[in-house]
Amino acid sequence: MLFQVGVICLVLFLSWRYNQTRAWLKKFPQKKGLPVLRNFFQVQVKDHRIEKLFTEWSKELGGVFAVQILNKSFIVLNSFEAIHEALVEKGESFSGRPQQSSFRLRYNTRGFSDLVFTNPSPRWKLMRKSAHRHIRMFGSGLKRIEALNLSAIKELVSEFRRRGTKPFDPRNDIHSAIMNIMTSLLVNRKYKTTDEIFGYFIEMEKIGNENLTSSGKGVELDTFPWLRFFGNSTFKKLEHQRLTRDKLWKLVKDQVMEDFRQGDKNQAEGLAHVWFKLIEEEPLVEELNAKMSFSNLIIAGTSTTSNSFYMFLNILSQHPDLQSKLQEEVDSAVGPNRCVSLDDKSRMPLTHATVLEILRYTTVVPLGIPHASLTTTSISGLSIPPGVQVLNNLWALHHDDKFWEAPYEFKPERFLDADGDVVSASHPNRKHLMPFGAGPRVCVGEVLAIGRIFLLVATTSQVFNVDQGPVKVSCDARDYGHGLVLTSEDFEIKVNSRNDSLYVD
Ligand code: HEM
């Protein structure tokens, strides 16, 4: 009898505690769900485009709402005001990453020892600062580095030329070119696609994408981590990723150590060189942190830009007017006798505006990377305790039809003023464009990505006419598919050379 009373008291106490700790949650607008399961079934969408569902919900619930799935809950921010408040005005309070709920993420990041999924800490600051400094030099300042970018683009041009006028799917060519820009950044080397080490880079990025996908695949392992002892297929993929990462890291380390032995002080460094020195100098940074962050950068730096440019080629092949205007601009600003340079950007406003529109229209990272509150804070006046997961719906921000006219039309002109110049950074359209997030966790590769996409768009316009091939797919952003980042279905293009003398060896 005493035992039964004890159990009842315990259940009552736990449900009281549960309600107490969740009292804050009740204040947030939310969709009514089922008891216990809450919104579980409502968020199961066929195309895994959960950001589109949240954008629809925001029309009814407003710019900020809560979602509950079983005993887990998170806040979704959809409006400019709310996203700006969280990322910029209260950036420090919201600069955490959620770490409780995902076994897969914990396992994959070796206990959050990486750069992207760790919480802010002195070590994170050191790693981020060194990466940022290295990437910024890589992205804008140094001519030598621009040459590396262009040398990868040269390879892409030569692959496109090799196809003659035959239709082909450009996905793998783009992917290899972008990966080689990343290998230049990371280890100061470009590789042949047949090199063993290059195969590991490609494999690392491919399985990283599969394992980190935000769709429902593999979610069972988060709920029941013990499944890993019973041949769970998601766990096997995580194991495969770990082995690939270890093999790649060993090869990279051998190369870096060899460079150090050669001892050429003038030798330009990759980020891996920078990090190996940091390990020596800073007790806070261990080799594991460098290894995990290295694989973060391979994934974050490759799939984002390569998918943006891939989707742009599909858009370009279906917008011949825009293509003619871009060609006119590059012909007059650069001409047929030299390669495009980053310095040309200020004289090519339409190309610059096209880059901004690619970032808005495609929004390749539609929900950003999840944040978490680190302190007791608030959003839109509603209180939030520490440890709450927050999703920034960048898709909703970039496709809000109350702000953007015809948001599903590709219109670079929205970033041009009456004189045809790119609108200033303080213009509302530029302020509402946040493809890289903002605040303390803003994307480390922003400058590099913008420069790289500019060079790719300008070079394509200078050298090729791009037409649709026989395999056609929609270029409507609502039809994209979801992995770790958004991408379109496979398609083919045909290219005709406008200039045979540039970008040749
Ligand atoms: C079109 C290209 C890209 C887009 C749209 C993009 C977008 C994003 C977004 C939305 C975030 C999350 C920001 C947040 O947490 O609020 C992010 C984080 C990050 N990105 Fe990018 N990114 C791109 C290219 C790159 C490149 C080229 C690199 C590296 C060379 C890179 C490295 C990173 C890293 C390391 C983080 C995590 C920063 C942190 O947690 O402190 N990204 N990116």
Side-chain angles (χ1 to χ4, degrees), residues 64-237:
V64 179
F65 56 79
V67 175
Q68 295 191 66
I69 299 170
L70 298 161
N71 61 344
K72 293 180 181 135
S73 54
F74 52 91
I75 304 297
V76 186
L77 312 180
N78 303 273
S79 63
F80 169 76
E81 291 72 20
I83 293 175
H84 192 266
E85 183 181 351
L87 294 184
V88 182
E89 291 156 41
K90 296 179 179 159
E92 296 294 336
S93 304
F94 283 102
S95 62
R97 297 284 190 216
Q99 304 198 329
Q100 291 87 17
S101 52
S102 174
F103 167 81
R104 286 179 298 165
L105 210 50
R106 180 183 301 274
Y107 184 84
N108 212 5
T109 59
R110 304 280 295 273
F112 305 105
S113 52
D114 63 341
L115 171 58
V116 175
F117 295 102
T118 188
N119 269 325
S121 68
R123 189 192 73 220
W124 166 77
K125 268 197 185 133
L126 274 172
M127 298 292 288
R128 199 183 140 93
K129 205 168 140 198
S130 53
H132 212 206
R133 191 183 304 140
H134 189 78
I135 292 170
R136 283 188 76 87
M137 281 173 25
F138 188 91
S140 56
L142 296 181
K143 280 284 153 201
R144 185 194 67 81
I145 299 294
E146 181 179 84
L148 281 175
N149 246 308
L150 282 172
S151 120
I153 289 176
K154 201 191 262 182
E155 265 169 40
L156 184 65
V157 169
S158 101
E159 281 304 309
F160 278 21
R161 280 198 183 117
R162 199 171 55 78
R163 310 301 163 91
T165 50
K166 285 200 189 119
F168 67 101
D169 182 343
R171 192 189 288 276
N172 288 340
D173 295 342
I174 295 172
H175 199 70
S176 296
I178 304 277
M179 183 60 90
N180 253 328
I181 302 178
M182 287 311 289
T183 64
S184 305
L185 170 87
L186 294 170
V187 269
N188 190 32
R189 280 176 172 78
K190 272 173 69 233
Y191 300 104
K192 294 198 194 74
T193 49
T194 47
D195 288 346
E196 185 199 16
I197 189 166
F198 192 74
Y200 281 117
F201 270 101
I202 293 282
E203 183 67 5
M204 189 60 223
E205 197 259 342
K206 185 170 152 260
I207 44 178
N209 261 312
E210 282 172 15
N211 284 342
L212 284 173
T213 178
S214 55
S215 76
K217 280 183 231 160
V219 75
E220 76 287 350
L221 204 57
D222 290 338
T223 321
F224 308 115
W226 45 263
L227 284 173
R228 67 187 184 280
F229 302 117
F230 298 92
N232 175 272
S233 62
T234 304
F235 187 67
K236 281 186 187 157
K237 280 192 200 155

Side-chain angles (χ1 to χ4, degrees), residues 214-408:
S214 55
S215 76
K217 280 183 231 160
V219 75
E220 76 287 350
L221 204 57
D222 290 338
T223 321
F224 308 115
W226 45 263
L227 284 173
R228 67 187 184 280
F229 302 117
F230 298 92
N232 175 272
S233 62
T234 304
F235 187 67
K236 281 186 187 157
K237 280 192 200 155
L238 291 177
E239 282 283 85
H240 178 47
Q241 183 171 1
R242 180 186 274 221
L243 284 175
T244 309
R245 185 168 46 222
D246 288 349
K247 280 186 196 149
L248 173 61
W249 185 248
K250 187 181 171 314
L251 294 172
V252 166
K253 186 174 177 179
D254 288 349
Q255 295 195 338
V256 172
M257 292 304 146
E258 183 53 33
D259 289 346
F260 284 164
R261 262 192 298 277
Q262 302 280 334
D264 180 357
K265 293 254 163 56
N266 297 322
Q267 160 93 18
E269 294 179 324
L271 187 53
H273 298 71
V274 174
W275 279 344
F276 271 108
K277 285 184 186 164
L278 199 63
I279 295 166
E280 299 269 293
E281 291 157 12
E282 276 294 342
L284 280 175
V285 181
E286 293 177 11
E287 190 174 336
L288 177 66
N289 307 123
K291 176 167 73 171
M292 302 311 298
S293 306
F294 186 85
S295 66
N296 281 165
L297 286 180
I298 297 173
I299 299 165
T302 311
S303 29
T304 44
T305 333
S306 62
N307 281 304
S308 302
F309 184 60
Y310 182 65
M311 295 191 278
F312 171 67
L313 286 184
N314 193 26
I315 294 168
L316 192 66
S317 71
Q318 297 183 39
H319 290 75
D321 287 354
L322 171 65
Q323 184 159 192
S324 307
K325 286 185 195 157
L326 287 169
Q327 289 171 347
E328 271 167 35
E329 184 171 84
V330 71
D331 289 352
S332 109
V334 183
N337 300 320
R338 69 166 176 89
C339 296
V340 178
S341 127
L342 287 174
D343 298 337
D344 295 318
K345 197 157 132 197
S346 57
R347 279 176 286 124
M348 297 175 65
L350 178 63
T351 312
H352 184 181
T354 301
V355 174
L356 300 177
E357 180 67 346
I358 292 173
L359 293 167
R360 182 201 70 84
Y361 185 81
T362 61
T363 312
V364 277
V365 194
L367 288 173
I369 299 176
H371 282 238
S373 54
L374 290 174
T375 54
T376 298
T377 180
S378 65
I379 202 83
S380 296
L382 298 169
S383 176
I384 295 182
V388 173
Q389 177 169 343
V390 177
L391 296 182
N392 295 295
N393 191 352
L394 304 176
W395 178 266
L397 174 69
H398 292 165
H399 298 89
D400 176 2
D401 54 15
K402 290 204 194 80
F403 181 80
W404 302 99
E405 192 209 319
Y408 296 104

